[in-house]
Amino acid sequence: MPSAGRSRFPAADPGAPATGSPVRFLLWLATRHRAGLVLATLFGVLCTLAQALVPAAVALGIDRGLLQRDRDALLLWGGAVLALGVFQAVVGMLRDRASITNRFGAVYGTTQLVVRHAAHLGADLPRRASTGSVVSVSASDVGHLGTALEGTARGSGAIVSILFAAVFMLVTSWQLGLVVLVGVPLIAAAVTRLMRVLHGRQQRLREQQGALTDLSVDIIDGLRVLRGFGGEKTYGRRYREGSQAVRAEGTRVAATVADIAFLRVLLPGALLVAIVWLGAHQVSTGRLEPGLLVAFYGYAVFLTDQLGQVTAMLDQLTRANVAAGRVLDFLRLQRERPGGTRPLDDDAAAAGLPLHDPDSGLTVPPGRLLAVVCGTEGDARTLAERLCGHTDSAVLLGDTPLSAHRTDDVRRHTLLADNDATLFAGRLGTELDPRDGDPRDGDPGGDGPRDSDPRDDRPRTEALLRALDAASARDVVDALPDGLAHETTGGREFSGGQQQRLRLARALLADPRLLVLVEPTNALDAPTEGRVARNLGPHRAGRTTVVFTTSPIVLEHAESVVFVKDGKAVAEGRHRTLLADPDYRAVVTREVLA
């Protein structure tokens, strides 16, 4: 039974978006929430119309009740004002509820699109998009789309109420109505012109922010190397220059925003002065009743607020247009290598076909623990990506090119685990095993099950514990007060070695047909590394495991070792046998002395 706090937004595929232009994308996003959008707009119109009727009811109460000393009429129109206020409060609440639902629905749906496309790109993502652009899309642009969808209800209601007030004033006094009908479009045109300027400056600011984020990520990732040759000062100067450019552009954007805010006060205020002056003149000449003057003053104040709502909606739509363009830029990214069409079902994967890389001569026998020692820096990562189909290569699965198989099938049966993998925030048990519904179920360190029978999750929990034992990470979990229910902050509370063991446990629990590990123990001390090396083979029995490493401890426990020099497999055998090769021994010895 679902919990009361569970989100009502569906987890289904959001569908294929309209990618022709930012406007078409926004319209597609709106049509996905058509019912909610119509409902929010209807409540928005009713709310502002009820507010627009209040000055008219006050005028009638003054003219027919107060000035004529008619108590019944005064009570009638006073009650009408009260009823309009209550009605406005109720429909306003319903409008806000529907609008917020639309906002979160748009954010949720767009996030689904972005995450789905990021998963589709897979290993190509870092090569196709910068870190800054991805962060900007996911952290900022998606929110602007939701805000625009939320603001349409208030903006639409404001437009309708402005038209109603203008008609009322035009019928009552054509001079005042004409002032409104001329003044409102002029104000909207002036603000819209500034909105276009703001649009361009916001676009430039976002581009500069993305470039600065990329630079900061590069500096953080390479800080240790930069300090080695004194390059941190050069990159620090580049970052200062970039941040100053972002600051200057941000100042220009803020100046434009300030100009828009100034006009939002000045222009409606000038319109208010004109309406009040003209209305007072008509009352003094007997062409307008005093109550109607109060109504006109009320409408002038009312219109000031409604014009602000309209300009706010235009501002939100402008920002959403920029954000939609950036989202589309991301969604249009394509893989460097298109996927094949041949299926790779479970039976074919279980058949135990060997992998062969003709470019390097490396052959991976099925169902064995193979270690690969690379003499040239960078070869390990290159070969690992080839074996898992992350890059375009001539790797063969049996007699069939790996690239001929469907990408999703290859991903389901292969896993590349390296030290760049991230431990995300959340419950540790769920982070290590996303298929586990509640990590506390059956967890001795947790507080028990919640909505399901713990026996339902016992096999997954036992598998997770076995993976933790194989990765020698059980002690990491046992040291936590809440065990697997511990709320991790992205793994920052763990040491480098602890993170490495937890990442290895996660990879082992995934249990792919082919597991490729890149330096899985280089942050561990010798005793812990020995335990991991002894456990790895038995835990992966019957599965294919390739470990790229130069650790003698791991190499000693491998069933076979391949030595790769200058991108070519030049020797194969057991670790102790290969030590007779001086080139192999030099590579392994450097690792020991390091």
Side-chain angles (χ1 to χ4, degrees), residues 539-561:
H539 186 85
R540 290 284 299 169
R543 302 284 192 178
T544 305
T545 308
V546 182
V547 184
F548 288 87
T549 182
T550 55
S551 167
I553 298 177
V554 177
L555 295 172
E556 180 68 31
H557 290 83
E559 296 180 60
S560 181
V561 180

Side-chain angles (χ1 to χ4, degrees), residues 35-281:
L37 199 61
V38 170
L39 196 62
T41 302
L42 175 62
F43 287 141
V45 170
L46 291 176
C47 180
T48 52
L49 280 180
Q51 189 178 359
L53 287 171
V54 170
V58 171
L60 291 172
I62 292 174
D63 290 336
R64 298 183 181 180
L66 188 63
L67 295 181
Q68 297 183 11
R69 300 181 180 278
D70 187 338
R71 185 178 63 181
D72 293 338
L74 185 61
L75 291 175
L76 173 64
W77 292 110
V81 171
L82 177 62
L84 288 172
V86 173
F87 180 78
Q88 177 189 346
V90 172
V91 295
M93 178 185 65
L94 296 175
R95 175 202 62 195
D96 291 344
R97 182 182 179 87
S99 297
I100 292 175
T101 301
N102 293 336
R103 184 185 75 185
F104 284 114
V107 170
Y108 185 79
T110 308
T111 301
Q112 281 182 301
L113 291 175
V114 172
V115 172
R116 181 182 69 179
H117 194 65
H120 171 74
L121 292 172
D124 288 336
L125 178 60
R127 294 187 286 267
R128 303 296 293 161
S130 65
T131 303
S133 64
V134 176
V135 170
S136 178
V137 168
S138 58
S140 177
D141 295 324
V142 170
H144 288 316
L145 299 179
T147 301
L149 212 61
E150 178 187 13
T152 52
R154 289 179 179 272
S156 300
I159 293 173
V160 172
S161 64
I162 289 173
L163 293 176
F164 172 82
V167 170
F168 175 85
M169 298 170 74
L170 190 62
V171 171
T172 306
S173 172
W174 68 268
Q175 296 95 336
L176 292 178
L178 187 62
V179 169
V180 174
L181 292 178
V182 173
V184 170
L186 289 177
I187 293 174
V191 174
T192 302
R193 183 177 180 83
L194 275 179
M195 289 292 186
R196 293 195 185 99
V197 177
L198 180 62
H199 178 113
R201 291 182 176 176
Q202 285 176 335
Q203 179 69 25
R204 289 192 295 273
L205 177 61
R206 289 178 180 275
E207 292 173 354
Q208 292 181 1
Q209 286 175 331
L212 188 63
T213 301
D214 291 338
L215 181 59
S216 65
V217 171
D218 292 341
I219 293 174
I220 293 172
D221 290 342
L223 187 59
R224 188 172 301 174
V225 177
L226 291 175
R227 285 176 175 172
F229 62 87
E232 71 272 16
K233 293 183 179 179
T234 301
Y235 274 82
R237 184 173 63 255
R238 287 180 56 188
Y239 186 83
R240 284 194 298 272
E241 293 172 353
S243 63
Q244 288 302 313
V246 170
R247 182 192 62 80
E249 191 63 41
T251 301
R252 284 190 285 271
V253 170
T256 306
V257 173
D259 291 340
I260 293 174
F262 173 71
L263 290 180
R264 283 179 179 174
V265 176
L266 176 64
L267 298 181
L271 181 63
L272 171 63
V273 171
I275 291 173
V276 172
W277 180 84
L278 184 58
H281 176 70

Side-chain angles (χ1 to χ4, degrees), residues 423 432 468 476 494 498-506:
L423 289 172
L432 297 178
L468 289 169
V476 178
F494 301 118
Q498 290 174 329
Q499 291 187 40
Q500 193 169 53
R501 286 185 281 163
L502 290 173
R503 287 195 297 263
L504 178 59
R506 181 174 60 183

